[in-house]
Structures are given as structure tokens and as C-alpha cells.
Amino acid sequence: MEGGLMSMPSVGALPLHGVRVLEMVDKAEMCGRYLADLGATVIKLEPPEGSPSRRMGPFHDGVSISFAVRNANKQGLTLDLADTTDRGRFEAMLDTVDLWIESTAPGSLASVGLSIAGLRARHPRLVVLSVTDFGQTGPYRDWVGSPWVHTAMSGCLSRSRIGDQYPLMPPAALPAEAAAVQASFAALVGLWNAMETGMGDHIDFSLLEATGQILDPAMGMAGTASAGADVGAAAATSARQRPVLDMYPVFECSDGFVRVVLLSPRQWRAMRSWLGDPEDLMDDALDAIFTRFKRVDEIRQHISLLFKGKSTAELVQEGQSRGVPCAPVLTLGEVIAAEHYVQRQAIARCEIFTGLDAKIPTGFVEFNGRRLGIRMRTPDVGEHNASLLAELTDGRATGAPVATTGAGGRRPLSGIRVLDLGVIVYGAEIGRLFADLGADVIKVENRAYPDGARVARGGMMNANFASGHRGKRSIGLNLRSDRGKALFTALVAESDLVLSNFKPGTLEALGLGYDTLAQVNPGIVMVTSSAMGSTGPWARWMGYGPLVRCASGLSSLWRYPEGPSAFADGSTVYPDHYAARVMAAAGLAALIARRRTGLGAHVEGAQAEAILVQLSELVALESLQPGAVSAKGNYSDEGAPWGVYPCAGSDEWCVITVRSDEEWARFCDVTGLADLGDEPALRTTAGRLRNRERIDARVGTWTSNLDPRAVQHLLQAAAIPAGAMARVTELEDDPHLSAREYLKKLRQPGFGPLTVQNAPFFSERMDPPRQVPAPEFGEHTREVLTEVLGLAPDEVQRLIEEGAAEEGTERR
């Protein structure tokens, strides 16, 4: 890394060393960046004039910061695919890489003689990842999208708001960056399967579906943060409702804001003690979160009085010491200066583009204690043409070897055994990703310390838990007993991956840290995640998603600009699902490295730092132009009209994002706003941005007389990105999502059919997930101990009687 501020592993020590990727995209560029961070050689293929994404803001001294932060660690190559010679070079390049990532419109490459089917036939070992707005199939296949359109159509926008205010678009590039990380995971699953079978694949990746699965999923694991609400519970209420309850209140103090998250009875009682045990709050019924919701105004009044006049620093220090989960709502300027991130080198100054230095989040994860971050600045257009094209003739580039042979039509992670210690939302989600794709995921549990998601409704099974842990097995072990720990380490010897999101130091205190487990099994990969990281002043904070959002600067941006305290992220579940994809990709990369080295690894991640990487362009901009970054609401400087517009009916909205002068001309034509199209001052993006308010007023008047889906279909027919804001209850009836089987039914014993999300991508050669019920507590204890460890039934019985192993009271 430029400037020497970080100690980076040698290239050969990086997990994806030897993997070569050809990236031909102008969307989801962070996908290739993450693979490059993990050690892959990523070749950025652009047309001779450079990628359109080089011309996207924000800018500093004429440089696109957004392009610079998403294309670090890559090499630059230019080819003109309309040219016969360059098409030949392109095909030769495909012979040297393991993965080709492309984002062209479905079927468009065939017009220059490069159909994906034909290329796959000529390069059968190649994995092709096609990243498109809506996927390769379905009624919307040829529609055009944008991150804002995907957010609206996926149902996420309908849950981002306060009370009855207008729906607020999540800040920055959050939807696109979340989808890009899922694309990285899809790429690595494809590579793993190719290494297992000796054959390549074509992976169909939809940005719409990824946004809905990660940003704030409508279906699936909602977690303790939503009080264990049953999956699909929204369907029991009005289909047109949106959430109005802010479960994570923010309180003003002398120098800013502090958020408090009170989920468990223990946390509530700690807060009550801090308040001085006021008489009117001594009712034991307030231990129940739903009772506290009913008396929220009374409780908040007490906390507001306590916090008034005190600083964020003293409140957070005392709250955390008392066992009250809380965090300061930081601005990006405060994040950049925060001692915690400085000590962890989570943000550092480096050269991100030729001649441009900025402070920037340094990377997603740590690998064996070393951060995998930026090693090379973003390349200039065609910077590495000479060396890359020379490789095509001297035979040096041959790609990473593909290992074994086998047939297609398989669940790609079959044969991998995972010990899953994860809890709540993130913990459920990362293990489920592996289980859905065929891994044997064994959830390790203990009755004395149950997963909070299990007991959120007072029992050991609920629909929320079922959706997050489907497809897993459950074993009960007492890890605080010597015999229970011995059983766990014996399982480690027979496993590939250990997943945990306990507070830092917990496993080490149990004598089950990575160093100990690696002695048992040198090939074990341990993936640990925490809120703030395992080191630094904030490492021991109690952390939930709402607090991580505050401490990373996200909450300060996710608010209505009309009010300094109007934070709109209070009803979302973030970043758990996103962080799970970050760490799943890193864990799979470590397993790929093990094929080469025979050694496992310890992969660590901090959820706050995963968010920081998503905010990279804004962190860099704030470091270069202090004070430039603030909450923008639904304003964007990418174009005009570009926003969330009211439609006919109650609380109906449609997103429109006009990206170019050509789209503007078509927009004016199909909407009947020809007088605007005739104005010379509005024929350029710069001119439209100067007249944004007048354009928005006219567009809003036009949309307010139309159904949002009428606007969506009319504009999409003219190839203009537009999407109606969908509700959760409408997703099952969407013709495109139905055609692509976006949702599936899970049949969990004791419950009716539960609606859950289906595959994170589609593939020619990999089978989709099977919907297998979640386990009861300890349901598979006997099965795992006999099948995996070879213990005799009578020995297992003794272990259960001794309390080293546990099983549920109910057996299916």
C-alpha cells in the first residue's frame, strides 16, 4: 500500500493467489475489487475510451472518486470488441483466466459474435458471472435498472421512513455495494464448484434480487432486533402499511446524539437502574419488549432527561459499562478521526488514483491477523496493456489449475462440514448460506445459553428462527465442561469451517481459540465476526446492527435532511445480512487457499468496517473536502429527474432515474413533457441539475395522476430506469420474481408454509437450495456424535446423562 501505513501479507500469502479474473463491468465493480483484495489477479477490461463508470461522481480534481475506490488492486486493459483483432485477443485472454465477470445486457454480446453460450462451448473450464439488473430470464429481463430502482422494486424502500413521511432512499451506494458483495460470493462458489468438477459454469446474477436479499430482507431471518416476529407477519396486517415504530431510539445530548438498543430483560433492567429505578417504571411487565413498546413515550421521557446536558463520550462509556447497549451517532468526519479506527488501521491515507491521495477504508477483513486491503491504486485507462497482451503470446498466463473431475447438477458446497456457533441474525445467515449450497452445517448450541433468536418468542422454535437456520443440523454441547469442549475439538478435527460471532475473546476464554483449534486440525478455517473488531478501544462494546450503523457514520447519513434528529434507519435490519456475505466470501476464499497450501486460516471481520467499505467514496470525499458529506435525502447529483415521486393513491411512489441526455429526450417524449425537452438549457445533465427543482415539480405532477406500475411500465418500455415502490406483501405476486422463483415455501413442522428467499444466484450446473426444515434444539446430537465421531450409542447416552452433550425434550 502506498505510504507504508499498512503491513500487507505477501502476494503469495493472499487466499486467492493464482486465481485470475477478467472483469468487464461498469456496475457492481466492488465485486472484482473484493476478489482483488483477497488476492486474485483482476484484469479490468474497458473500451478504448474507458468505462462509463470513470465519469460518475463524486469528483475531486477531475477524478471520479467512486471509480477510484472500486477499482483499486486491479490491472487495466483496453480492447475494442467491435474490432476483429481485439476480439481475438479477448478470446485468447479467456484462455488465461478462471473467471469472467460481465455486465452487458442479456444477449447483447451476440451482436459482435461473442455469445456467452458460444464462448462457454469454446472455453468449457471458464466460470462466467453475468451481473445484470434483472437477470437473464423473466418478464423484466430486458428492462434497465439502477440501484435506486432495485431498492424500490425489491421492497426495501417501503420500509425506510419515519412515520408518515415520504420514503427515504438509503444513503450513498448502499444497495449497489451490498449486491456487489453477494456477487463476489457467487463468483467464489462458482470457482469452488469448477475446482471440484473440472467444468466451468454460467452464473445468472440479478442485482434486483441481491438488493432484496441483503439490504433489508423482506422475508427470512429478521432476528431478535425485531422481537422475533414471525416471518411473513406483515401479511397479517394491512397490505399497504409501512412500519412506523422506531425500535432503536436516538437521544440528543450536549454534543450530538446517542442511540440506545434495549432488547433483553437484562438490558432493560440495567437501563432502569441507570435511571435511578423510578417508581413508575418498576413494573416487571416492562421486562417484555412489547410492553415497553406500548409505554415507549414514558420511557423515552426518562432517558431524555438523563441524557440532557451530558456528552456522547460520557454517556456511551457509562452505558456500556452498565450493560446498556448504546453508541454515538457519528458523522463521517468524526469516524475518520476516531481513535478506534485509527488504531485498527481501518482507515488510512493512500494513493487511490494517479497523483490523488485520500483517506479511505482499507478493506473488508483480516486474514491471519493481517488486513487484506488496498495494495495498488486504481489503474489508468489501459495502463497494463503492454504486459497483459504480451502474456498472450509468451505462454506465461495459464490460469489457476482446476483440480478434480465430476459431473454437474450438484449442490456446490457438498462435502464441506461447518461447525456453526453463530447467533442472532448475522450468525444465522452466514451458516444458512453454506447450508443452502450443500454444506453439512452443524449448529452447536447449549441450553443454558440459547441463541436469542430461538427464545425471542418464549419457546425454542419460531418461524423467524426457522427461516434463518433451515437446512442445518443441531447438536447440544456444554462448552463450559471439559468433556463438552473435548467433543467440540473432536468435531473440529472432522470439519472444514468454524463460524462464530461471539464477543471478542469468548472462544479464547473457553480454550477454543483459533490457535488451539489449528493444533487439532491445521486445515481448519475459522471465520469470526464482531461488531467493532477484536482490537481497539471499542472492541468490547455490546454491538447490534443499529449501533454499528451509528458508529460507522451510516445513521448520520440515513436521515431526513429537514431535521437533524430525523434518523430513518430505525426499522431496518442492517448490516447483518450484508456482513454475512462479506464473511462467507472470505471464508470460502480461505478454503480455496487451503487447496493450494493445505493450511487453514483465521478470518476476522468487523461489521462496522464492512459498512465503512461501502461508504468508501464518501469517506474519501470527506477527507479531501472536509464538510462536503452530509445527509442528502432523496437528492442525487447523478442526474435529473432522479428521485422518488408520488403517484396516484395513498402512499404510492415510483423511482425514476434518468441517466443520460438520450434517456432525457425519450422521457420527455413518452411523458408528454415535450416543452421541457425543447428547452436547450435542459439538454445536458449539468443543465438539468441546475433546474432540478422545476423538473421535479413537473415530473411529480405527472406521476401523481398515475398508478406507480403504470409509470414503471411506460418508462421501461422506453428503456428508462423506473420502478414502483413495492410492499413486502406484493413480492409473491410480482410476475418477474415469480418466474424466477425468487421466493420459496419452507414447510417447518408446527407451522404453516413459511415464505423464504430462494437462491442467491442461478447457475447452469449447480442445483438450487433444498428447503429443509430448521432443527429443534439438539435434534441431531445423537446422530452427529455417532456418524461424525463414531461414538457408540451407549457412550452417547452417558455423555448426555453427564451433561456434556444435550438433546431436545421433543424429538421428531
Side-chain angles (χ1 to χ4, degrees), residues 468-488:
H469 292 277
R470 60 188 186 266
K472 302 178 184 179
R473 298 198 281 178
S474 171
I475 181 173
L477 291 179
N478 180 4
L479 298 183
R480 285 168 172 76
S481 73
D482 291 341
R483 192 70 179 103
K485 283 188 275 194
L487 290 172
F488 180 77

Side-chain angles (χ1 to χ4, degrees), residues 614-732:
Q614 290 188 304
L615 302 178
S616 289
E617 65 188 61
L618 298 185
V619 173
L621 180 63
E622 180 67 19
S623 79
L624 292 165
Q625 303 171 24
V629 178
S630 62
K632 299 172 67 174
N634 288 340
Y635 171 84
S636 172
D637 55 10
E638 292 188 56
W642 192 296
V644 183
Y645 298 92
C647 295
S650 175
D651 195 29
E652 301 289 351
W653 305 82
C654 186
V655 165
I656 300 170
T657 56
V658 172
R659 304 168 298 181
S660 67
D661 299 340
E662 293 76 19
E663 286 183 357
W664 167 249
R666 295 198 301 273
F667 176 83
C668 292
D669 183 51
V670 300
T671 59
L673 300 176
D675 59 313
L676 293 179
D678 289 339
E679 291 190 36
L682 303 183
R683 290 177 184 169
T684 66
T685 297
R688 291 191 294 278
L689 285 172
R690 286 192 294 270
N691 291 273
R692 179 190 181 94
E693 290 186 6
R694 181 162 62 93
I695 292 173
D696 279 349
R698 289 289 302 278
V699 173
T701 299
W702 174 71
T703 59
S704 64
N705 295 308
L706 295 171
D707 178 87
R709 279 164 184 75
V711 176
Q712 170 183 282
H713 284 270
L714 178 68
L715 295 182
Q716 286 288 354
I720 297 166
M725 185 187 77
R727 278 13 181 242
V728 172
T729 51
E730 298 168 332
L731 298 179
E732 289 190 85

Side-chain angles (χ1 to χ4, degrees), residues 15-21 39-41 94-99 125-126 191 194-195 198 396-404 592 595-596:
L16 295 185
H17 174 66
V19 172
R20 288 173 62 89
V21 181
T41 297
L94 292 183
D95 275 332
T96 75
V97 300
D98 308 286
L99 171 69
R125 63 183 297 279
L126 181 68
L191 283 172
M195 291 175 176
R396 286 181 296 169
T398 58
V402 174
T404 60
I592 290 173
R595 302 177 77 104
R596 183 181 79 250

